Amino acid sequence: MSSQNTAKVLDHFDLFRQPEYVEMLDNKKTCFEGGRPDDEVFKIADWTRTMEYREKNFAREALVVNPAKACQPLGAIFAALGFEKTLPFVHGSQGCVAYFRSHFSRHFKEPTSAVSSSMTEDAAVFGGLNNMVDGLANSYSLYKPKMIAVSTTCMAEVIGDDLDSFIRTSKQKGSIPEAFDVPFAHTPSFVGSHITGYDNMMKGILTHFWEGKARADNGKINFVGGFDGYTVGNMPEIRRIFDVMGVDATLLGDNSDVWNTPTSGEFTMYDGGTKLEDAADALNAKGTIFMQHFGTEKTQEYVKSKGQEVVAFNHPVGVAGTDEFLMAISRLSGKAIPAELEKERGRLVDAIADSQAHIHGKKFALYGDPSMVMGLASFLMELGAEPVHVLATNGSKDWEAKMQALLDASPFGQGCKAWGGKDLWHMRSLLATEPVDFLIGNTYGKYLERDIGTPLIRIGFPVMDRHHHHRYPVWGYQGSLNVLVKILDKIFDTMDATTNVPGKTDYSYDIIR
Amino acid sequence: MTTDVKTRNQELIQEVLSAYPEKSAKKRAKHLNVYEEGKPDCGVKSNIKSLPGVMTVRGCAYAGSKGVVWGPIKDMVHISHGPVGCGQYSWASRRNYFIGVTGVNAFGTMQFTSDFQEKDIVFGGDKKLDKVMDEIEALFPLNNGISVQSECPIGLIGDDIEAVSKKKAKQIDKTIVPVRCEGFRGVSQSLGHHIANDAVRDFVLDKVDGKAGEFVSTPYDVAIIGDYNIGGDAWSSRILLEEMGLRVIAQWSGDGTLKEMEATPKAKLNLIHCYRSMNYICRHMEEKFGIPWHEYNFFGPTKIAESLRAIAALFDDTIQEGAERVIAKYQPLVDAVVAKYKPRLGGKTVMLYVGGLRPRHVVGAYEDLGMEIAGTGYEFGHGDDYQRTTHYVKDGTLIYDDVTEFELEKFVEAVKPDLVGSGIKEKYVFQKMGLPFRQMHSWDYSGPYHGYDGFAIFARDMDMAISSPVWGMTKAPWK
């Protein structure tokens, strides 16, 4: 009789632990796999956690292992989806778009619509003009977008396809109406990362609407979030903050609706997004606030060149960060920060005061996009925690210097180090040789949690193995509270998990903490 | 199926085609059809370039090689050679289960990349690749080999990965396999499978020339080919073959090792599950080593029993008795599964859109539960897949090759199946429409679905999807 049954169906979690499978797999290993003996494997496993290994690991010059970054067109799609009825169109090989759509859907648990120009070998030789001409016509007919935002894969970049002229030609050939909005951005995957692609596409869209227009200050404020896995929660929270302050603001690239559609019996491919007329009118704003300095540099420069004031933050989380964010809005708009927000601030401070004893002095490692880890590290130090290793695979030398300065400026950042351009295999060595209490990162951090045992607090992009966290903001006082709770939950769960042996450690298994 | 359904399906096809520009409508028309009983194929063209701009579901050759064929070989390091993205998006997402210590003697859920920068594009990446291999050797000494999975730029900038691989293989005395699976090659994942198979032939099988494998052969040695062990599929298949008295000497490629690949020419029979992705290497082994191959189907008890008997018929009485013994052993489980789930699922309709073998292979499993297939299609099938499909589908079934998201949405809206089985990109579209959905690539994070043990899970999952209370809540009661 097999172990399988219908009373409690055994799936992969339990099925393969049944004796018949254990025996089968042992036999496969011994007779056919040709692996090394277990003791040799364990010896090497132990060696990978040594300082000697760390030195070898950090001596790497070419190999990248488990990086915490993706490529440009992913960010371009992210930015494009933030505009009203906009279809992202990626010029190049089609497999890329299949990957981008899957990647976003695995994080947001939502459909992600984007098209490819499906270039193949002939296009590699002759260029992809025909793909663009036919592709735009097909997209326009089938998906009835209001705007098509074109970016590129590395294939199109290597062969040197020129988007500007291709789009013009397509219009001349009647693929799409002459007046139809087709902003574009070249987004080579071999330059920067997904945040660079966001920057390029955001700049491309603004350029499309703004170039050649005269600016007349209308007193409004623009907001640019940057590439943000919490956009679904963050954008409405930012909108609420602006509303509470009575500030007339334009959220540029607000993709919080398209990745948050209801299950209502109907699929809506487009939802929400920055209205195209608002995107055009954003030229006339008094200033633009960028929530993530790193990954919006070119857009900032462009906005500045148009005569607007630019204020850039590094993903503010926590009391001081949010204070600065609100004060900047207030200064730019001339509107006072209302009592309602001050009360929220007080509640966040209250929550920190209630819980600080459990966080104070705890050591953290964190990784993610450069601005995000800066914001999180600042918050940790505000909580009295120590961000020992702060890593950004897509962090530049400039980021590394700024991040290090931020750490050095706080008593809680002493002995802490910023690591730009390193990957999660580097992080593994750091965690093994200079252990910390907790790790903050995206889903891939679970491999570090498994290998080293450092409990993982999932904050970042992508988070594919936990559901719905992206629905909650991490910005503003309310968002900061969410981050605090995420951190605390893991701290308390870890306390319980390490004190629950009856008669051995459970004296500390407290009912009140 | 009734004439009504056939007519409706024909009209549906005309309706979706009318949305395209004329030139594109003409091209798409060849990929859509209603199956006519008795015809030798499904009447659709396939393995043709996707139209640009239509939202094809297809991937690329790299996905076919790294993601499907090579990636699961657990004791080798597979370099995603080129920019960072391809390796990142395909990192551990296909659920090819394996046993091993990750980062030490197994590497299946790691992302190794040469992370090309602009200078690598301008000056070429061969020197970098050379160094990448040295660093792999230094940090992961228990790797049993390396494969180079080419991303788009490699073939465009004129890199010679073959020369680098040859040099390094000699230097470090391990198998190094250059694979020319640049994403722009071919029209889908499919060419990537073929290229990957050819690389196995040239850099693994030819190298050892049938002389590998330290074990003593038996007359009952077989290899499992084209099972990627998604959620453990190959394991719940292997157990049946071993229970009937065969000995599985290699798994390709789920939970597989280089050694197993090398030893495969010692098999007496190659058993192939995913024909689309690995028929090439089976044909090669047949030609070169005289090993026959046999297609089987381990989805659902009807097809499993049929397959076990057909496999057994190629061996002696011992194995034939073994097959009967296995079928008898699992009959009570099958009966219990059918008794529990058929009353709940009987008569329900399903629309499928998947890749590889699944658009046809899973049909029997649904039918075992009393469910009917209203439509099916392949992401990257060829003519021979559509021929084989005729053995599975009924008259009037809607057939769609390389369907676009637009078409699939319209088809599903009109046909209103009780369940849709497709991929992650489609899942949430149809759930928004209030339709039960199961991912039929990743088993929606469940599995295994192969074998008798897997059938119980398959039945449970389909029931779970269809019987969820959530689908009754999509409309507000005041509306």
Side-chain angles (χ1 to χ4, degrees), chain B residues 37-147:
Chain B
E37 191 142 297
K39 291 269 168 75
D41 60 34
C42 299
V44 293
K45 295 267 187 217
S46 57
N47 197 30
I48 293 173
K49 270 198 282 188
S50 303
L51 295 179
V54 297
M55 220 179 306
T56 171
V57 177
R58 282 174 169 177
C60 64
Y62 164 89
S65 176
K66 188 267 187 179
V68 176
V69 175
W70 277 104
I73 296 294
K74 62 181 176 181
D75 61 340
M76 291 175 73
V77 169
H78 308 289
I79 305 166
S80 292
H81 188 39
V84 69
C86 319
Q88 202 70 5
Y89 311 121
S90 58
W91 180 5
S93 56
R94 210 161 172 266
R95 305 189 64 235
N96 309 108
Y97 280 10
F98 65 90
I99 294 195
V101 184
T102 298
V104 180
N105 69 346
F107 311 95
T109 46
M110 293 176 71
Q111 137 70 327
F112 292 88
T113 175
S114 46
D115 188 18
F116 263 34
Q117 301 299 307
E118 199 149 24
K119 63 176 191 303
D120 303 313
I121 300 288
V122 177
F123 300 110
D126 286 341
K127 277 192 184 134
K128 187 173 205 177
L129 181 61
D130 187 304
K131 196 178 258 183
V132 160
M133 289 178 182
D134 283 339
E135 291 175 357
I136 287 171
E137 212 31 41
L139 291 169
F140 308 96
L142 297 188
N143 82 75
N144 282 333
I146 294 171
S147 83

Side-chain angles (χ1 to χ4, degrees), chain A residues 102-288:
Chain A
S102 302
H103 204 59
F104 281 129
S105 288
R106 287 173 178 141
H107 173 81
F108 290 114
K109 316 296 179 200
E110 291 284 323
T112 304
S113 301
V115 298
S116 162
S117 66
S118 296
M119 284 164 66
T120 54
E121 276 145 318
D122 52 341
V125 178
F126 302 111
L129 176 61
N130 290 336
N131 297 67
M132 178 74 80
V133 172
D134 293 343
L136 287 176
N138 285 332
S139 298
Y140 183 76
S141 305
L142 288 187
Y143 297 109
K144 304 195 169 21
K146 204 166 173 181
M147 177 162 96
I148 295 176
V150 182
S151 55
T152 50
T153 76
C154 51
M155 178 207 183
E157 287 300 320
V158 172
I159 64 172
D161 278 5
D162 179 358
L163 292 182
D164 193 17
S165 84
F166 280 19
I167 293 165
R168 272 175 223 262
T169 310
S170 301
K171 286 186 169 179
Q172 281 158 12
K173 292 195 171 205
S175 293
I176 40 170
E178 197 63 46
F180 188 76
D181 291 310
V182 188
F184 65 90
H186 286 275
T187 49
S189 304
F190 44 83
V191 176
S193 69
H194 56 290
I195 60 173
T196 323
Y198 176 96
D199 195 14
N200 284 331
M201 182 49 86
M202 184 56 81
K203 185 187 165 189
I205 291 171
L206 296 186
T207 307
H208 171 80
F209 286 110
W210 293 5
E211 216 40 32
K213 307 249 171 67
R215 177 173 170 270
D217 192 335
N218 61 12
K220 287 191 187 177
I221 293 178
N222 299 325
F223 177 89
V224 176
F227 191 102
D228 169 28
Y230 296 89
T231 181
V232 168
N234 276 337
M235 283 297 193
E237 177 62 7
I238 294 297
R239 166 62 63 204
R240 185 186 69 88
I241 289 171
F242 280 122
D243 286 350
V244 167
M245 289 183 72
V247 174
D248 197 352
T250 305
L251 308 191
L252 291 168
D254 178 2
N255 46 27
S256 62
D257 283 327
V258 77
W259 274 317
N260 194 17
T261 61
T263 284
S264 59
E266 243 174 89
F267 164 57
T268 42
M269 186 168 145
Y270 306 108
D271 199 356
T274 313
K275 296 238 173 298
L276 301 190
E277 56 265 35
D278 292 346
D281 187 50
L283 169 66
N284 303 313
K286 186 162 194 291
T288 301

Side-chain angles (χ1 to χ4, degrees), chain A residues 1-2 4-7 9-12 15-16 20-21 24-25 27-28 31-36 40-42 44-45 47-48 53 56-57 59-71 74 87 89 93-95 98-103 105-106 109-111 113-122 124 130-131 134-135 137-139 141-143 154-155 158-159 189-192 260-267 269 424-425 428 444 447 450-451, chain B residues 19-21 23-24 49-56 58-60 62-63 74 83-85 88-93 95 97 99 101-105 109-113 115-118 121 128 131-132 135-136 138-142 144 152-153 156-157 184-187 215 231-232 235-236 238-239 242 247-249 251 255 257 259-260 329-330 333 336-337 340-341 405-406 409 424-425 428-429 431-433 445-448 453 456-457 460 474-475:
Chain A
M1 190 59 203
S2 86
Q4 188 59 288
N5 67 94
T6 50
V9 173
L10 304 178
D11 57 20
H12 58 92
L15 184 65
F16 303 125
E20 65 269 27
Y21 279 99
M24 179 187 86
L25 292 170
N27 189 50
K28 174 179 187 292
C31 302
F32 304 110
E33 291 191 350
R36 310 296 173 88
E40 196 183 339
V41 174
F42 295 135
I44 296 289
W47 171 66
T48 64
Y53 188 87
K56 264 182 193 280
N57 190 11
R60 265 190 283 148
E61 289 174 351
L63 173 67
V64 172
V65 185
N66 298 353
K69 67 170 181 181
C71 68
L74 186 83
L87 181 65
F89 181 114
S93 303
Q94 73 193 8
Y99 278 142
F100 307 142
R101 295 178 62 215
S102 302
H103 204 59
S105 288
R106 287 173 178 141
K109 316 296 179 200
E110 291 284 323
S113 301
V115 298
S116 162
S117 66
S118 296
M119 284 164 66
T120 54
E121 276 145 318
D122 52 341
N130 290 336
N131 297 67
D134 293 343
N138 285 332
S139 298
S141 305
L142 288 187
Y143 297 109
C154 51
M155 178 207 183
V158 172
I159 64 172
S189 304
F190 44 83
V191 176
N260 194 17
T261 61
T263 284
S264 59
E266 243 174 89
F267 164 57
M269 186 168 145
L424 300 187
W425 200 253
R428 189 177 184 273
Y444 303 114
Y447 293 134
R450 174 197 58 195
D451 288 359
Chain B
Y20 285 91
K23 182 171 140 193
S24 299
K49 270 198 282 188
S50 303
L51 295 179
V54 297
M55 220 179 306
T56 171
R58 282 174 169 177
C60 64
Y62 164 89
K74 62 181 176 181
V84 69
Q88 202 70 5
Y89 311 121
S90 58
W91 180 5
S93 56
R95 305 189 64 235
Y97 280 10
I99 294 195
V101 184
T102 298
V104 180
N105 69 346
T109 46
M110 293 176 71
Q111 137 70 327
F112 292 88
T113 175
D115 188 18
F116 263 34
Q117 301 299 307
E118 199 149 24
I121 300 288
K128 187 173 205 177
K131 196 178 258 183
V132 160
E135 291 175 357
I136 287 171
L139 291 169
F140 308 96
L142 297 188
N144 282 333
C152 287
L156 299 171
I157 61 175
F184 61 81
R185 294 193 197 277
V187 301
F215 54 85
W235 294 336
S236 56
R238 182 184 187 110
I239 202 160
E242 295 195 343
R247 189 170 77 152
V248 179
I249 63 165
Q251 271 177 224
D255 193 38
T257 59
K259 191 69 102 193
E260 288 169 68
K329 173 186 166 184
Y330 287 95
L333 173 65
V337 171
K340 181 168 179 181
Y341 295 108
E405 297 285 13
F406 172 82
E409 192 195 324
I424 182 69
K425 302 190 288 298
Y428 303 105
V429 170
Q431 290 191 174
K432 300 284 179 195
M433 289 163 68
Y445 322 120
S446 176
D453 287 342
I457 305 165
R460 179 200 67 180
T474 57
K475 293 281 174 236

Side-chain angles (χ1 to χ4, degrees), chain A residues 99, chain B residues 59-73 78 90 93-94 96 149 181 188-194 196-197 200 226-230 251-256 261 274-278 280 355-358 379-380 441:
Chain A
Y99 278 142
Chain B
C60 64
Y62 164 89
S65 176
K66 188 267 187 179
V68 176
V69 175
W70 277 104
I73 296 294
H78 308 289
S90 58
S93 56
R94 210 161 172 266
N96 309 108
Q149 304 292 326
C181 55
S188 66
Q189 293 92 313
S190 187
L191 188 62
H193 305 139
H194 198 152
N197 276 231
V200 174
D227 190 323
Y228 302 103
N229 206 33
I230 291 167
Q251 271 177 224
W252 293 48
S253 53
D255 193 38
M261 283 185 134
C274 181
Y275 169 84
R276 180 72 276 130
S277 58
M278 281 199 179
Y280 319 99
L357 73 166
R358 292 154 173 164
E379 257 183 57
F380 47 83
H441 297 261

